[in-house]
Amino acid sequence: MNTLNELYLSQYALSTFDTCPRKFRYRYVDGLFWPRNWTSRDQRERMEKGRLFHLLAQRYFSGATTAIPPGALFREELSKWVARLKELITIDPDSVYLPELHIKLETGGIRLQAKYDLIVLSGNRAQIFDWKTDERPLQQARLARAGQTRVYRYLAVEAANIYARGTTIKPGGMDMTYWNPSYPAGAVSLPYSEAEHREAGRNLHELINHIRSLRYQDFAETSDLKSCPGCEYSPICQGRAATGGDPSDEDFDPGEDLSWEDAPEIVY
């Protein structure tokens, strides 16, 4: 069993606790860690296209080729997505691009971690980009209150003096942009402020300290059963196999199904 004080919690972990404390216990305390089961062909294809697009975006911002070989899966759609990405962000030689950046941070007694699709540094400003590849357009109001927005902006500011190579990044000098290549004109950019940063810090500290205060038996099953059929732990709680997850859930990150052992640890 994992010790809660030792866990680096991600936005998805915190969202999981909000959805179902028992699911959080299975995954992060008991270590019953297995991927979601995408059951339909459309779900599996959407997840694979998303994975490949993230890889191509990483190659673009790392200066590598983004050429897609003839006959590759989803070549036509991925080619369009990459072309749109290059229109969205033209490489500026005076900026620093940090694709697929993993951060683990201990600050103020809590531990957080995140995997950023891209952070762009321009002087004392930083811009977070997150790629969404689901089939629906982005909704600004929904993203503004999303757990990912809260955690990613807060953590990026707290850890900035490390990944920004000594440059001071304040909340007012940072924003977060969500972008879906299927809806290239629908980017959602969310600025940040000192007041929002203080509120995020208070909320995250309260939530994480609450989670840490719980006894093992206190992690109760959710009373909202509508999320249970798609939960990978349904065989344990419900006695039947899960029907598959929802790949359009913005709180889900495929990186959650990967090991975090290789993520750099930044400790204050």
Side-chain angles (χ1 to χ4, degrees):
M1 185 175 71
N2 294 314
T3 301
L4 285 172
N5 289 348
E6 297 176 352
L7 289 178
Y8 285 86
L9 297 174
S10 66
Q11 59 88 16
Y12 182 67
L14 297 176
S15 175
T16 298
F17 179 82
D18 286 338
T19 300
C20 179
R22 181 62 54 84
K23 178 177 179 178
F24 176 94
R25 192 190 80 183
Y26 286 147
R27 189 175 184 94
Y28 299 101
V29 180
D30 296 334
L32 300 178
F33 192 83
W34 61 78
R36 285 184 176 187
N37 179 30
W38 309 111
T39 56
S40 76
R41 178 178 178 181
D42 287 345
Q43 287 177 331
R44 292 194 298 270
E45 287 187 353
R46 198 72 187 180
M47 288 297 294
E48 180 62 9
K49 278 188 285 189
R51 186 189 70 80
L52 292 172
F53 175 73
H54 279 70
L55 176 61
L56 289 166
Q58 179 182 13
R59 292 179 65 83
Y60 173 56
F61 293 110
S62 300
T65 180
T66 57
I68 304 173
L73 286 174
F74 319 119
R75 184 174 188 267
E76 183 176 351
E77 187 169 11
L78 287 172
S79 296
K80 291 179 181 178
W81 286 4
V82 171
R84 292 168 182 170
L85 176 65
K86 292 179 179 180
E87 292 177 359
L88 177 74
I89 306 176
T90 302
I91 299 296
D92 177 1
D94 295 325
S95 296
V96 177
Y97 298 86
L98 304 172
E100 296 299 320
L101 177 67
H102 293 72
I103 295 176
K104 294 172 71 175
L105 170 72
E106 181 174 356
T107 178
I110 65 171
R111 293 181 170 191
L112 291 168
Q113 62 182 355
K115 177 172 68 74
Y116 295 85
D117 291 342
L118 176 68
I119 295 181
V120 181
L121 303 174
S122 302
N124 62 349
R125 296 193 61 83
Q127 188 168 15
I128 302 167
F129 286 92
D130 191 81
W131 322 128
K132 298 299 184 188
T133 56
D134 50 76
E135 295 179 337
R136 62 187 177 192
L138 301 175
Q139 300 178 24
Q140 181 161 349
R142 187 175 184 178
L143 291 169
R145 63 176 183 267
Q148 182 178 5
T149 302
R150 177 180 60 176
V151 172
Y152 277 42
R153 293 190 305 188
Y154 179 78
L155 180 55
V157 169
E158 292 294 298
N161 70 326
I162 303 298
Y163 71 79
R165 305 172 188 178
T167 301
T168 299
I169 304 292
K170 295 183 178 180
M174 172 176 291
D175 58 46
M176 182 168 183
T177 297
Y178 291 94
W179 185 72
N180 188 328
S182 293
Y183 304 92
V188 171
S189 185
L190 301 170
Y192 202 33
S193 68
E194 291 283 356
E196 288 174 304
H197 189 65
R198 289 192 297 270
E199 182 180 5
R202 285 194 299 269
N203 292 341
L204 288 168
H205 278 77
E206 288 175 2
L207 176 56
I208 292 173
N209 286 329
H210 169 64
I211 292 173
R212 289 175 172 179
S213 73
L214 295 177
R215 298 170 300 172
Y216 184 78
Q217 61 269 29
D218 292 335
F219 290 89
E221 294 179 21
T222 181
S223 59
D224 184 3
L225 301 182
K226 69 176 182 293
S227 62
C228 295
C231 176
E232 60 268 43
Y233 302 103
S234 182
I236 301 174
C237 294
Q238 306 295 319
R240 55 180 178 270
T243 58
D246 178 7
S248 64
D249 176 6
E250 75 267 3
D251 277 326
F252 176 68
D253 183 345
E256 283 289 324
D257 288 329
L258 304 176
S259 170
W260 286 93
E261 294 303 316
D262 295 330
E265 181 173 351
I266 301 174
V267 180
Y268 288 94

mmCIF file of all heavy atoms in Angstrom, residues 12 23 35-40 42-44 46-47 132-136 142 226-232 242-254 257:
data_model
loop_
_atom_site.group_PDB
_atom_site.id
_atom_site.type_symbol
_atom_site.label_atom_id
_atom_site.label_comp_id
_atom_site.label_asym_id
_atom_site.label_seq_id
_atom_site.Cartn_x
_atom_site.Cartn_y
_atom_site.Cartn_z
ATOM 1 N N TYR A 12 -5.475 14.469 -12.653
ATOM 2 C CA TYR A 12 -6.397 13.357 -12.843
ATOM 3 C C TYR A 12 -6.627 12.606 -11.534
ATOM 4 O O TYR A 12 -7.739 12.151 -11.254
ATOM 5 C CB TYR A 12 -5.884 12.403 -13.921
ATOM 6 C CG TYR A 12 -6.836 11.267 -14.178
ATOM 7 C CD1 TYR A 12 -8.081 11.500 -14.751
ATOM 8 C CD2 TYR A 12 -6.507 9.961 -13.828
ATOM 9 C CE1 TYR A 12 -8.971 10.460 -14.976
ATOM 10 C CE2 TYR A 12 -7.393 8.926 -14.046
ATOM 11 C CZ TYR A 12 -8.622 9.178 -14.617
ATOM 12 O OH TYR A 12 -9.510 8.147 -14.831
ATOM 13 N N LYS A 23 -12.433 4.755 -5.897
ATOM 14 C CA LYS A 23 -11.619 4.568 -7.092
ATOM 15 C C LYS A 23 -10.224 5.136 -6.871
ATOM 16 O O LYS A 23 -9.225 4.530 -7.271
ATOM 17 C CB LYS A 23 -12.282 5.248 -8.297
ATOM 18 C CG LYS A 23 -11.479 5.135 -9.585
ATOM 19 C CD LYS A 23 -12.217 5.759 -10.758
ATOM 20 C CE LYS A 23 -11.404 5.659 -12.040
ATOM 21 N NZ LYS A 23 -12.128 6.224 -13.220
ATOM 22 N N PRO A 35 -4.783 0.252 -17.251
ATOM 23 C CA PRO A 35 -5.374 1.246 -18.162
ATOM 24 C C PRO A 35 -6.879 1.090 -18.287
ATOM 25 O O PRO A 35 -7.444 0.031 -18.041
ATOM 26 C CB PRO A 35 -4.688 0.953 -19.509
ATOM 27 C CG PRO A 35 -3.492 0.141 -19.175
ATOM 28 C CD PRO A 35 -3.858 -0.641 -17.940
ATOM 29 N N ARG A 36 -7.519 2.178 -18.700
ATOM 30 C CA ARG A 36 -8.912 2.102 -19.086
ATOM 31 C C ARG A 36 -9.067 1.169 -20.284
ATOM 32 O O ARG A 36 -8.143 0.980 -21.058
ATOM 33 C CB ARG A 36 -9.438 3.490 -19.488
ATOM 34 C CG ARG A 36 -9.687 4.430 -18.323
ATOM 35 C CD ARG A 36 -10.291 5.706 -18.847
ATOM 36 N NE ARG A 36 -10.640 6.614 -17.786
ATOM 37 C CZ ARG A 36 -11.310 7.748 -17.973
ATOM 38 N NH1 ARG A 36 -11.684 8.093 -19.185
ATOM 39 N NH2 ARG A 36 -11.594 8.535 -16.960
ATOM 40 N N ASN A 37 -10.265 0.641 -20.414
ATOM 41 C CA ASN A 37 -10.547 -0.263 -21.527
ATOM 42 C C ASN A 37 -11.438 0.450 -22.529
ATOM 43 O O ASN A 37 -12.627 0.634 -22.312
ATOM 44 C CB ASN A 37 -11.257 -1.522 -21.005
ATOM 45 C CG ASN A 37 -11.593 -2.477 -22.135
ATOM 46 O OD1 ASN A 37 -10.899 -2.530 -23.134
ATOM 47 N ND2 ASN A 37 -12.671 -3.231 -21.966
ATOM 48 N N TRP A 38 -10.820 0.905 -23.636
ATOM 49 C CA TRP A 38 -11.608 1.546 -24.687
ATOM 50 C C TRP A 38 -12.224 0.445 -25.552
ATOM 51 O O TRP A 38 -11.543 -0.238 -26.293
ATOM 52 C CB TRP A 38 -10.715 2.465 -25.516
ATOM 53 C CG TRP A 38 -9.910 3.411 -24.678
ATOM 54 C CD1 TRP A 38 -8.561 3.395 -24.496
ATOM 55 C CD2 TRP A 38 -10.397 4.487 -23.885
ATOM 56 N NE1 TRP A 38 -8.176 4.405 -23.651
ATOM 57 C CE2 TRP A 38 -9.284 5.088 -23.265
ATOM 58 C CE3 TRP A 38 -11.662 5.005 -23.639
ATOM 59 C CZ2 TRP A 38 -9.398 6.177 -22.418
ATOM 60 C CZ3 TRP A 38 -11.780 6.088 -22.793
ATOM 61 C CH2 TRP A 38 -10.664 6.663 -22.195
ATOM 62 N N THR A 39 -13.519 0.280 -25.444
ATOM 63 C CA THR A 39 -14.129 -0.909 -26.016
ATOM 64 C C THR A 39 -14.536 -0.763 -27.479
ATOM 65 O O THR A 39 -14.552 -1.746 -28.206
ATOM 66 C CB THR A 39 -15.376 -1.299 -25.195
ATOM 67 O OG1 THR A 39 -16.274 -0.175 -25.150
ATOM 68 C CG2 THR A 39 -14.986 -1.683 -23.786
ATOM 69 N N SER A 40 -14.912 0.409 -27.921
ATOM 70 C CA SER A 40 -15.372 0.551 -29.289
ATOM 71 C C SER A 40 -14.216 0.888 -30.221
ATOM 72 O O SER A 40 -13.203 1.465 -29.812
ATOM 73 C CB SER A 40 -16.446 1.636 -29.392
ATOM 74 O OG SER A 40 -15.866 2.928 -29.335
ATOM 75 N N ASP A 42 -14.205 3.137 -32.573
ATOM 76 C CA ASP A 42 -14.071 4.587 -32.673
ATOM 77 C C ASP A 42 -13.274 5.151 -31.508
ATOM 78 O O ASP A 42 -12.434 6.048 -31.685
ATOM 79 C CB ASP A 42 -15.450 5.250 -32.717
ATOM 80 C CG ASP A 42 -16.153 5.037 -34.049
ATOM 81 O OD1 ASP A 42 -15.474 4.631 -35.018
ATOM 82 O OD2 ASP A 42 -17.371 5.274 -34.115
ATOM 83 N N GLN A 43 -13.518 4.642 -30.303
ATOM 84 C CA GLN A 43 -12.773 5.098 -29.131
ATOM 85 C C GLN A 43 -11.290 4.783 -29.280
ATOM 86 O O GLN A 43 -10.425 5.625 -29.020
ATOM 87 C CB GLN A 43 -13.328 4.450 -27.863
ATOM 88 C CG GLN A 43 -14.669 4.993 -27.414
ATOM 89 C CD GLN A 43 -15.189 4.267 -26.197
ATOM 90 O OE1 GLN A 43 -14.899 3.083 -25.976
ATOM 91 N NE2 GLN A 43 -15.964 4.955 -25.381
ATOM 92 N N ARG A 44 -11.004 3.546 -29.687
ATOM 93 C CA ARG A 44 -9.601 3.142 -29.817
ATOM 94 C C ARG A 44 -8.892 3.968 -30.886
ATOM 95 O O ARG A 44 -7.745 4.387 -30.704
ATOM 96 C CB ARG A 44 -9.510 1.648 -30.149
ATOM 97 C CG ARG A 44 -9.965 0.732 -29.020
ATOM 98 C CD ARG A 44 -9.545 -0.704 -29.269
ATOM 99 N NE ARG A 44 -10.135 -1.252 -30.476
ATOM 100 C CZ ARG A 44 -11.308 -1.883 -30.524
ATOM 101 N NH1 ARG A 44 -12.037 -2.008 -29.432
ATOM 102 N NH2 ARG A 44 -11.768 -2.374 -31.661
ATOM 103 N N ARG A 46 -9.670 7.012 -31.924
ATOM 104 C CA ARG A 46 -9.514 8.396 -31.484
ATOM 105 C C ARG A 46 -8.340 8.520 -30.513
ATOM 106 O O ARG A 46 -7.558 9.468 -30.576
ATOM 107 C CB ARG A 46 -10.806 8.878 -30.821
ATOM 108 C CG ARG A 46 -10.903 10.397 -30.721
ATOM 109 C CD ARG A 46 -11.162 11.002 -32.079
ATOM 110 N NE ARG A 46 -11.101 12.461 -32.044
ATOM 111 C CZ ARG A 46 -11.297 13.231 -33.094
ATOM 112 N NH1 ARG A 46 -11.562 12.701 -34.275
ATOM 113 N NH2 ARG A 46 -11.233 14.539 -32.989
ATOM 114 N N MET A 47 -8.211 7.575 -29.615
ATOM 115 C CA MET A 47 -7.102 7.598 -28.676
ATOM 116 C C MET A 47 -5.769 7.448 -29.396
ATOM 117 O O MET A 47 -4.787 8.128 -29.081
ATOM 118 C CB MET A 47 -7.267 6.488 -27.633
ATOM 119 C CG MET A 47 -8.377 6.745 -26.627
ATOM 120 S SD MET A 47 -8.086 8.216 -25.606
ATOM 121 C CE MET A 47 -6.652 7.680 -24.677
ATOM 122 N N LYS A 132 -6.139 18.961 -27.301
ATOM 123 C CA LYS A 132 -7.323 18.116 -27.141
ATOM 124 C C LYS A 132 -7.705 17.572 -28.514
ATOM 125 O O LYS A 132 -7.785 18.329 -29.487
ATOM 126 C CB LYS A 132 -8.488 18.914 -26.561
ATOM 127 C CG LYS A 132 -8.237 19.495 -25.175
ATOM 128 C CD LYS A 132 -7.980 18.414 -24.154
ATOM 129 C CE LYS A 132 -7.837 18.999 -22.753
ATOM 130 N NZ LYS A 132 -7.398 17.978 -21.768
ATOM 131 N N THR A 133 -7.930 16.280 -28.604
ATOM 132 C CA THR A 133 -8.213 15.672 -29.911
ATOM 133 C C THR A 133 -9.534 14.923 -29.920
ATOM 134 O O THR A 133 -9.748 14.048 -30.747
ATOM 135 C CB THR A 133 -7.070 14.716 -30.322
ATOM 136 O OG1 THR A 133 -6.887 13.724 -29.299
ATOM 137 C CG2 THR A 133 -5.775 15.470 -30.533
ATOM 138 N N ASP A 134 -10.438 15.273 -29.004
ATOM 139 C CA ASP A 134 -11.739 14.621 -29.020
ATOM 140 C C ASP A 134 -12.623 15.241 -30.099
ATOM 141 O O ASP A 134 -12.223 16.174 -30.793
ATOM 142 C CB ASP A 134 -12.406 14.697 -27.637
ATOM 143 C CG ASP A 134 -12.411 16.107 -27.078
ATOM 144 O OD1 ASP A 134 -13.230 16.926 -27.544
ATOM 145 O OD2 ASP A 134 -11.578 16.384 -26.201
ATOM 146 N N GLU A 135 -13.826 14.731 -30.221
ATOM 147 C CA GLU A 135 -14.669 15.077 -31.360
ATOM 148 C C GLU A 135 -15.575 16.281 -31.113
ATOM 149 O O GLU A 135 -16.355 16.640 -31.991
ATOM 150 C CB GLU A 135 -15.519 13.858 -31.754
ATOM 151 C CG GLU A 135 -14.667 12.692 -32.265
ATOM 152 C CD GLU A 135 -15.506 11.484 -32.639
ATOM 153 O OE1 GLU A 135 -16.638 11.384 -32.116
ATOM 154 O OE2 GLU A 135 -15.035 10.665 -33.430
ATOM 155 N N ARG A 136 -15.488 16.890 -29.978
ATOM 156 C CA ARG A 136 -16.343 18.036 -29.709
ATOM 157 C C ARG A 136 -15.495 19.300 -29.601
ATOM 158 O O ARG A 136 -14.340 19.253 -29.171
ATOM 159 C CB ARG A 136 -17.125 17.834 -28.409
ATOM 160 C CG ARG A 136 -16.250 17.703 -27.178
ATOM 161 C CD ARG A 136 -17.057 17.327 -25.958
ATOM 162 N NE ARG A 136 -16.181 17.128 -24.801
ATOM 163 C CZ ARG A 136 -16.589 16.573 -23.664
ATOM 164 N NH1 ARG A 136 -17.829 16.157 -23.544
ATOM 165 N NH2 ARG A 136 -15.742 16.423 -22.653
ATOM 166 N N ARG A 142 -16.284 25.524 -19.422
ATOM 167 C CA ARG A 142 -15.958 24.221 -18.840
ATOM 168 C C ARG A 142 -14.464 24.104 -18.555
ATOM 169 O O ARG A 142 -14.058 23.619 -17.496
ATOM 170 C CB ARG A 142 -16.408 23.126 -19.809
ATOM 171 C CG ARG A 142 -16.291 21.714 -19.264
ATOM 172 C CD ARG A 142 -16.883 20.731 -20.249
ATOM 173 N NE ARG A 142 -16.882 19.381 -19.714
ATOM 174 C CZ ARG A 142 -17.383 18.325 -20.344
ATOM 175 N NH1 ARG A 142 -17.956 18.484 -21.526
ATOM 176 N NH2 ARG A 142 -17.338 17.122 -19.802
ATOM 177 N N LYS A 226 -23.681 6.982 -12.023
ATOM 178 C CA LYS A 226 -23.662 7.073 -13.484
ATOM 179 C C LYS A 226 -22.259 6.911 -14.057
ATOM 180 O O LYS A 226 -22.100 6.565 -15.234
ATOM 181 C CB LYS A 226 -24.261 8.396 -13.949
ATOM 182 C CG LYS A 226 -23.464 9.644 -13.650
ATOM 183 C CD LYS A 226 -24.142 10.862 -14.266
ATOM 184 C CE LYS A 226 -23.352 12.145 -14.025
ATOM 185 N NZ LYS A 226 -23.336 12.526 -12.602
ATOM 186 N N SER A 227 -21.225 7.141 -13.233
ATOM 187 C CA SER A 227 -19.858 6.963 -13.714
ATOM 188 C C SER A 227 -19.361 5.534 -13.553
ATOM 189 O O SER A 227 -18.299 5.178 -14.084
ATOM 190 C CB SER A 227 -18.910 7.911 -12.975
ATOM 191 O OG SER A 227 -18.897 7.615 -11.586
ATOM 192 N N CYS A 228 -20.109 4.699 -12.864
ATOM 193 C CA CYS A 228 -19.627 3.344 -12.549
ATOM 194 C C CYS A 228 -19.495 2.421 -13.767
ATOM 195 O O CYS A 228 -18.519 1.663 -13.857
ATOM 196 C CB CYS A 228 -20.520 2.701 -11.501
ATOM 197 S SG CYS A 228 -20.460 3.532 -9.893
ATOM 198 N N PRO A 229 -20.440 2.430 -14.721
ATOM 199 C CA PRO A 229 -20.316 1.472 -15.829
ATOM 200 C C PRO A 229 -19.024 1.628 -16.633
ATOM 201 O O PRO A 229 -18.497 0.633 -17.147
ATOM 202 C CB PRO A 229 -21.545 1.787 -16.696
ATOM 203 C CG PRO A 229 -22.538 2.336 -15.745
ATOM 204 C CD PRO A 229 -21.720 3.149 -14.763
ATOM 205 N N GLY A 230 -18.485 2.837 -16.744
ATOM 206 C CA GLY A 230 -17.265 3.031 -17.504
ATOM 207 C C GLY A 230 -15.997 2.933 -16.691
ATOM 208 O O GLY A 230 -14.902 3.100 -17.226
ATOM 209 N N CYS A 231 -16.126 2.660 -15.400
ATOM 210 C CA CYS A 231 -14.952 2.612 -14.516
ATOM 211 C C CYS A 231 -14.228 1.282 -14.650
ATOM 212 O O CYS A 231 -14.850 0.210 -14.652
ATOM 213 C CB CYS A 231 -15.398 2.831 -13.070
ATOM 214 S SG CYS A 231 -14.050 2.680 -11.870
ATOM 215 N N GLU A 232 -12.906 1.345 -14.739
ATOM 216 C CA GLU A 232 -12.129 0.117 -14.879
ATOM 217 C C GLU A 232 -12.191 -0.772 -13.639
ATOM 218 O O GLU A 232 -11.833 -1.951 -13.688
ATOM 219 C CB GLU A 232 -10.670 0.446 -15.213
ATOM 220 C CG GLU A 232 -9.938 1.291 -14.193
ATOM 221 C CD GLU A 232 -10.013 2.775 -14.482
ATOM 222 O OE1 GLU A 232 -11.098 3.274 -14.840
ATOM 223 O OE2 GLU A 232 -8.978 3.457 -14.325
ATOM 224 N N ALA A 242 -16.339 -3.401 -16.992
ATOM 225 C CA ALA A 242 -16.612 -2.035 -17.410
ATOM 226 C C ALA A 242 -16.984 -2.009 -18.886
ATOM 227 O O ALA A 242 -16.550 -2.836 -19.679
ATOM 228 C CB ALA A 242 -15.386 -1.150 -17.159
ATOM 229 N N THR A 243 -17.789 -1.018 -19.249
ATOM 230 C CA THR A 243 -18.208 -0.877 -20.640
ATOM 231 C C THR A 243 -17.277 0.027 -21.422
ATOM 232 O O THR A 243 -17.504 0.280 -22.600
ATOM 233 C CB THR A 243 -19.627 -0.305 -20.717
ATOM 234 O OG1 THR A 243 -19.669 0.955 -20.040
ATOM 235 C CG2 THR A 243 -20.617 -1.259 -20.073
ATOM 236 N N GLY A 244 -16.236 0.537 -20.789
ATOM 237 C CA GLY A 244 -15.288 1.404 -21.479
ATOM 238 C C GLY A 244 -15.394 2.828 -21.000
ATOM 239 O O GLY A 244 -16.422 3.262 -20.491
ATOM 240 N N GLY A 245 -14.309 3.577 -21.149
ATOM 241 C CA GLY A 245 -14.282 4.952 -20.701
ATOM 242 C C GLY A 245 -14.719 5.917 -21.779
ATOM 243 O O GLY A 245 -15.106 5.541 -22.874
ATOM 244 N N ASP A 246 -14.660 7.186 -21.430
ATOM 245 C CA ASP A 246 -15.028 8.242 -22.364
ATOM 246 C C ASP A 246 -13.783 9.008 -22.756
ATOM 247 O O ASP A 246 -13.244 9.777 -21.966
ATOM 248 C CB ASP A 246 -16.039 9.191 -21.701
ATOM 249 C CG ASP A 246 -16.425 10.355 -22.603
ATOM 250 O OD1 ASP A 246 -16.022 10.348 -23.776
ATOM 251 O OD2 ASP A 246 -17.117 11.265 -22.124
ATOM 252 N N PRO A 247 -13.266 8.818 -23.976
ATOM 253 C CA PRO A 247 -12.034 9.469 -24.365
ATOM 254 C C PRO A 247 -12.171 10.974 -24.546
ATOM 255 O O PRO A 247 -11.189 11.659 -24.780
ATOM 256 C CB PRO A 247 -11.682 8.789 -25.697
ATOM 257 C CG PRO A 247 -12.971 8.300 -26.229
ATOM 258 C CD PRO A 247 -13.810 7.959 -25.035
ATOM 259 N N SER A 248 -13.382 11.520 -24.454
ATOM 260 C CA SER A 248 -13.562 12.961 -24.567
ATOM 261 C C SER A 248 -13.514 13.648 -23.208
ATOM 262 O O SER A 248 -13.694 14.859 -23.117
ATOM 263 C CB SER A 248 -14.896 13.276 -25.252
ATOM 264 O OG SER A 248 -15.981 12.825 -24.468
ATOM 265 N N ASP A 249 -13.297 12.903 -22.149
ATOM 266 C CA ASP A 249 -13.216 13.465 -20.804
ATOM 267 C C ASP A 249 -11.943 14.298 -20.674
ATOM 268 O O ASP A 249 -10.839 13.774 -20.687
ATOM 269 C CB ASP A 249 -13.214 12.315 -19.792
ATOM 270 C CG ASP A 249 -13.033 12.772 -18.354
ATOM 271 O OD1 ASP A 249 -13.016 13.995 -18.120
ATOM 272 O OD2 ASP A 249 -12.898 11.905 -17.479
ATOM 273 N N GLU A 250 -12.092 15.640 -20.490
ATOM 274 C CA GLU A 250 -10.893 16.478 -20.493
ATOM 275 C C GLU A 250 -10.035 16.284 -19.262
ATOM 276 O O GLU A 250 -8.889 16.708 -19.229
ATOM 277 C CB GLU A 250 -11.274 17.964 -20.622
ATOM 278 C CG GLU A 250 -11.849 18.594 -19.372
ATOM 279 C CD GLU A 250 -13.367 18.537 -19.352
ATOM 280 O OE1 GLU A 250 -13.951 17.956 -20.280
ATOM 281 O OE2 GLU A 250 -13.968 19.061 -18.408
ATOM 282 N N ASP A 251 -10.562 15.640 -18.220
ATOM 283 C CA ASP A 251 -9.737 15.390 -17.044
ATOM 284 C C ASP A 251 -8.888 14.136 -17.196
ATOM 285 O O ASP A 251 -8.021 13.869 -16.369
ATOM 286 C CB ASP A 251 -10.615 15.252 -15.791
ATOM 287 C CG ASP A 251 -10.984 16.601 -15.206
ATOM 288 O OD1 ASP A 251 -10.153 17.511 -15.289
ATOM 289 O OD2 ASP A 251 -12.097 16.746 -14.695
ATOM 290 N N PHE A 252 -9.136 13.360 -18.251
ATOM 291 C CA PHE A 252 -8.339 12.154 -18.439
ATOM 292 C C PHE A 252 -7.128 12.451 -19.296
ATOM 293 O O PHE A 252 -7.216 13.110 -20.317
ATOM 294 C CB PHE A 252 -9.160 11.048 -19.105
ATOM 295 C CG PHE A 252 -8.345 9.818 -19.393
ATOM 296 C CD1 PHE A 252 -7.864 9.052 -18.356
ATOM 297 C CD2 PHE A 252 -8.047 9.445 -20.691
ATOM 298 C CE1 PHE A 252 -7.101 7.918 -18.613
ATOM 299 C CE2 PHE A 252 -7.292 8.317 -20.953
ATOM 300 C CZ PHE A 252 -6.817 7.562 -19.913
ATOM 301 N N ASP A 253 -5.994 11.960 -18.861
ATOM 302 C CA ASP A 253 -4.755 12.120 -19.609
ATOM 303 C C ASP A 253 -4.185 10.733 -19.853
ATOM 304 O O ASP A 253 -3.932 9.993 -18.899
ATOM 305 C CB ASP A 253 -3.759 12.951 -18.797
ATOM 306 C CG ASP A 253 -2.468 13.229 -19.538
ATOM 307 O OD1 ASP A 253 -2.210 12.553 -20.548
ATOM 308 O OD2 ASP A 253 -1.723 14.116 -19.112
ATOM 309 N N PRO A 254 -3.983 10.335 -21.126
ATOM 310 C CA PRO A 254 -3.412 9.009 -21.384
ATOM 311 C C PRO A 254 -2.092 8.792 -20.665
ATOM 312 O O PRO A 254 -1.722 7.666 -20.367
ATOM 313 C CB PRO A 254 -3.232 8.992 -22.911
ATOM 314 C CG PRO A 254 -4.239 9.963 -23.414
ATOM 315 C CD PRO A 254 -4.314 11.046 -22.372
ATOM 316 N N ASP A 257 -1.655 6.520 -17.591
ATOM 317 C CA ASP A 257 -1.476 5.079 -17.681
ATOM 318 C C ASP A 257 -0.015 4.691 -17.844
ATOM 319 O O ASP A 257 0.314 3.533 -18.044
ATOM 320 C CB ASP A 257 -2.286 4.513 -18.846
ATOM 321 C CG ASP A 257 -3.773 4.535 -18.555
ATOM 322 O OD1 ASP A 257 -4.131 4.416 -17.377
ATOM 323 O OD2 ASP A 257 -4.553 4.683 -19.501
#
